[in-house]
């Protein structure tokens, strides 16, 4: 009897242990399969402490002369206007042709002083900056160079502008000029200190509804108002004998040869 009990007990405990093991197996917290995809400890690319040696202070080859806008000795091609360097003391460069012209010997447009469009009748009545008479001329500036009244600046832009009275005087004083013809068109060639030149056609001027003196006189506005009378402005004037400067009423239609500095 006792033996039977012992045997039973033994079996029981064995069974119990087995159960316990089973149970244990179950209970055992799943050895978390470390699903965490190892948040790779970023191979710290250490934001490079920018010890980069100072980008060598670019030894800019300062030898390159300011080539904008480019100036030329003579027209390099047929795409006028060009900026011609005559070697003038002021550094002023002159255009190879007139405002409104497509080549050096063309007349281009005739403009009343300060106006930026051509018209068919040039009188005080049609002049934009007066009330019908010379006495009522409005002051649009002692110099209109580079302003909204400067036809060279308005039509060509960039650094182009009407020449000042000083620049016209410089052209006359520092250049030699001679009466000549280009493709059958009469005018004067102005040759600068460096031997380069520009040709200005003797295109006359427009007064009222007529074109006067064409082929005989050149009349080129400066952007400077005449000092003694606000109804006038200085201009470059020439014929077959000489070139000079003068002043005339702002109403007349005259040519404009732009400059750039
Ligand atoms: Zn040209």
């Amino acid at each position: 009897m006792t033996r039977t009990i012992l045997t039973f007990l033994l079996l029981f405990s064995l069974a119990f242990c087995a159960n316990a093991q089973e149970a244990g197996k179950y209970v055992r917290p799943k050895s978390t399969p470390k699903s965490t995809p190892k948040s790779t400890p970023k191979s710290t690319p250490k934001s490079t402490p920018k010890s980069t040696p100072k980008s060598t202070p670019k030894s800019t080859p300062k030898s390159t002369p300011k080539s904008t806008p480019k100036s030329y000795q003579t027209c390099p091609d047929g795409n006028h206007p060009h900026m011609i360097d005559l070697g003038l003391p002021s550094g002023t460069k002159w255009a190879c042709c007139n405002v409104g012209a497509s080549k050096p010997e063309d007349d281009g447009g005739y403009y009343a002083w300060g106006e930026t469009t051509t018209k068919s009748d040039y009188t005080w009545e049609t002049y934009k900056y007066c009330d019908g008479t010379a006495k009522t001329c409005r002051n649009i500036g002692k110099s209109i160079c580079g302003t909204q009244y400067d036809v060279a600046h308005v039509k060509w832009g960039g650094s182009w502008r009407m020449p000042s009275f000083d620049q016209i005087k410089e052209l006359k004083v520092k250049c030699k000029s001679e009466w000549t013809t280009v493709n059958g068109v009469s005018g004067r060639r102005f040759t600068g200190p460096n031997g380069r030149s520009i040709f200005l056609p003797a295109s006359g001027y427009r007064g009222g509804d007529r074109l006067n003196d064409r082929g005989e006189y050149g009349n080129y506005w400066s952007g400077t108002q005449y000092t003694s009378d606000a109804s006038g402005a200085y201009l470059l004037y020439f014929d077959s004998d000489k070139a000079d400067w003068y002043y005339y009423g702002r109403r007349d239609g005259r040519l404009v040869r732009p400059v750039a500095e």
Side-chain angles (χ1 to χ4, degrees):
M1 169 68 180
T2 314
R3 196 173 174 200
T4 306
I5 291 175
L6 280 173
T7 302
F8 178 75
L9 278 173
L10 179 63
L11 286 172
F12 181 79
S13 45
L14 278 173
F16 179 81
C17 281
N19 267 346
Q21 264 191 342
E22 254 334 91
K25 245 184 192 173
Y26 252 74
V27 172
R28 188 181 285 172
K30 282 197 173 172
S31 62
T32 51
K34 283 203 171 179
S35 61
T36 49
K38 273 209 172 180
S39 59
T40 48
K42 281 192 178 174
S43 62
T44 55
K46 282 202 172 179
S47 58
T48 49
K50 289 235 168 164
S51 60
T52 46
K54 284 194 175 174
S55 58
T56 50
K58 283 195 175 179
S59 60
T60 45
K62 285 245 170 140
S63 58
T64 50
K66 281 188 179 177
S67 60
T68 51
K70 193 167 187 174
S71 64
Y72 299 92
Q73 299 185 14
T74 57
C75 294
D77 52 42
N79 297 319
H80 313 288
H82 298 104
M83 192 179 287
I84 309 298
D85 182 357
L86 301 171
L88 296 167
S90 70
T92 299
K93 313 293 191 299
W94 284 78
C96 68
C97 65
N98 298 335
V99 172
S102 57
K103 55 182 187 290
E105 65 269 31
D106 278 354
D107 298 331
Y110 294 81
Y111 300 92
W113 197 75
E115 293 185 1
T116 57
T117 55
T118 56
K119 55 192 181 186
S120 57
D121 192 26
Y122 295 80
T123 64
W124 289 120
E125 285 73 28
T126 64
Y127 183 53
K128 194 172 179 180
Y129 304 110
C130 78
D131 295 318
T133 64
K135 287 183 179 176
T136 57
C137 258
R138 285 196 286 282
N139 180 12
I140 56 173
K142 288 191 173 4
S143 168
I144 59 171
C145 300
T147 70
Q148 61 177 308
Y149 307 108
D150 179 338
V151 67
H153 175 68
V154 170
K155 290 201 176 294
W156 286 11
S159 56
W160 294 113
R161 47 168 57 197
M162 293 172 79
S164 66
F165 182 34
D166 284 342
Q167 287 171 313
I168 273 182
K169 283 193 286 190
E170 183 186 50
L171 184 74
K172 191 261 179 186
V173 172
K174 298 294 180 183
C175 292
K176 287 178 176 158
S177 75
E178 59 174 350
W179 186 254
T180 185
T181 59
V182 170
N183 294 328
V185 177
S186 298
R188 282 193 94 83
R189 177 173 297 286
F190 290 78
T191 303
N194 63 8
R196 298 166 195 158
S197 65
I198 54 172
F199 174 75
L200 279 70
S203 303
Y205 73 97
R206 284 190 176 279
D209 59 0
R210 297 179 57 189
L211 171 57
N212 307 293
D213 301 339
R214 188 161 184 274
E216 296 174 45
Y217 295 92
N219 292 270
Y220 289 80
W221 282 129
S222 77
T224 306
Q225 182 185 288
Y226 178 46
T227 49
S228 302
D229 183 346
S231 70
Y234 290 102
L235 55 84
L236 172 69
Y237 149 95
F238 62 78
D239 59 18
S240 59
D241 289 333
K242 62 176 175 19
D244 209 341
W245 60 78
Y246 204 57
Y247 61 89
Y248 271 112
R250 288 160 45 178
R251 68 177 176 184
D252 291 334
R254 300 179 192 279
L255 303 173
V256 174
R257 177 61 62 97
V259 297
E261 289 156 294

